Amino acid sequence: MRIAPLLLLVCAACNPEVDGAAEPPPESVRERLQAGETRLMLSAADSAGSITARRKVAGGAWDVGLADLAVDHGELVTSADASGAITLDRLEITFAPIAIPPGVFGGDAALTNVRAVLAKPATATTAWVDDDEAHTTVTLDLDVSWALTIGGGTVQLGSPHLPPVTLHVDFTGTGAFVHADVRATARGELWSWADLVKLEDLQLIVGADTP
C-alpha cells in the first residue's frame, strides 16, 4: 500500500507539466548578461599598464619615472537591461607591487597592497555589433587603498578617491562563455602627497573571463 504513493511522487517529479520545465540556457552574450549579474575574473597573465611617478627636487624641478602596472587578481561583475544597456555592477582590482623608478625616491621604493574598487555601479554607453559582441565606454569613480614601501619600511597612504577613470570594455563570447577586454585610462594628476610626490597618467589593459 505504500508503494503506490511513492510511484506517484516519482512520476510527478519527472513530469515537466507537474514540476515545471527548466529554463533554457542563454544562447548569446546579450542573453547571458540580461539573465542577471555575470562574474568575470581578471587575468594576471593578460594584463599590462603604466603610471607616471614624479618627485619634486631642489629648485622646484621634478624627477620623473614610468612605473609598470600588472594585475594580481580581481573581478568584474556586469549585467544588461532589456534594452541591452550594460551596467558594471562591481569592479575590484588588486595590483602586484608597483616598483617606483629609483630616480623618484633615490632608492628602492614600491607601492604595495594596491587595491582599486568601484565606488558605485555605472551604466555604460553600449553598442552591440551582434548578440555576441558589444563595445562599451563608461566613466568610473574608484576608491583606492595602498601603501608605500621604501627600504623595507612601509607607510599606509590611506584610501583616496581617484579622479574619474575612463573604462572601455569589449565583450565577446557565447551564452556559455563571456570574454572581456578592459582598457582603463586616466590623464593628468591622479594623486599628490604634499605636492612632493605625484602619480599621473594611468594606462591599463587586462583580460577577463567567466569562470
Side-chain angles (χ1 to χ4, degrees):
M1 296 296 292
R2 295 181 180 178
I3 296 177
L6 290 174
L7 290 175
L8 288 174
L9 288 173
V10 171
C11 291
C14 297
N15 188 343
E17 293 183 358
V18 175
D19 191 50
E23 288 290 333
E27 297 183 353
S28 65
V29 172
R30 186 194 292 260
E31 286 189 11
R32 174 76 178 261
L33 298 186
Q34 288 177 331
E37 291 186 346
T38 298
R39 184 178 184 225
L40 296 92
M41 306 304 296
L42 304 186
S43 170
D46 192 17
S47 70
S50 65
I51 194 169
T52 299
R54 294 176 177 266
R55 180 177 69 97
K56 185 176 287 188
V57 295
W62 292 86
D63 278 339
V64 182
L66 195 65
D68 293 330
L69 298 179
V71 171
D72 184 74
H73 64 275
E75 68 172 8
L76 169 66
V77 180
T78 185
S79 58
D81 63 18
S83 71
I86 292 176
T87 296
L88 306 185
D89 299 290
R90 292 196 300 279
L91 175 63
E92 297 184 9
I93 306 174
T94 298
F95 290 89
I98 303 168
I100 304 299
V104 174
F105 285 101
D108 292 334
L111 293 170
T112 54
N113 302 322
V114 182
R115 182 171 177 264
V117 179
L118 181 63
K120 59 184 178 181
T123 299
T125 300
T126 307
W128 288 90
V129 176
D130 55 38
D131 285 343
D132 284 325
E133 182 178 351
H135 305 284
T136 69
T137 301
V138 63
T139 300
L140 301 178
D141 291 325
L142 296 176
D143 291 325
V144 174
S145 58
W146 52 9
L148 177 63
T149 299
I150 303 177
T154 299
V155 178
Q156 297 297 323
L157 297 179
S159 301
H161 186 81
L162 293 186
V165 176
T166 300
L167 206 69
H168 302 278
V169 187
D170 299 324
F171 293 94
T172 54
T174 66
F177 173 81
V178 180
H179 173 79
D181 289 315
V182 182
R183 302 186 307 278
T185 57
R187 300 297 182 186
E189 182 179 307
L190 299 174
W191 174 79
S192 175
W193 188 9
D195 200 36
L196 297 175
V197 177
K198 293 183 178 182
L199 297 178
E200 302 174 338
D201 298 338
L202 176 144
Q203 298 184 69
L204 176 69
I205 183 168
V206 59
D209 300 295
T210 48

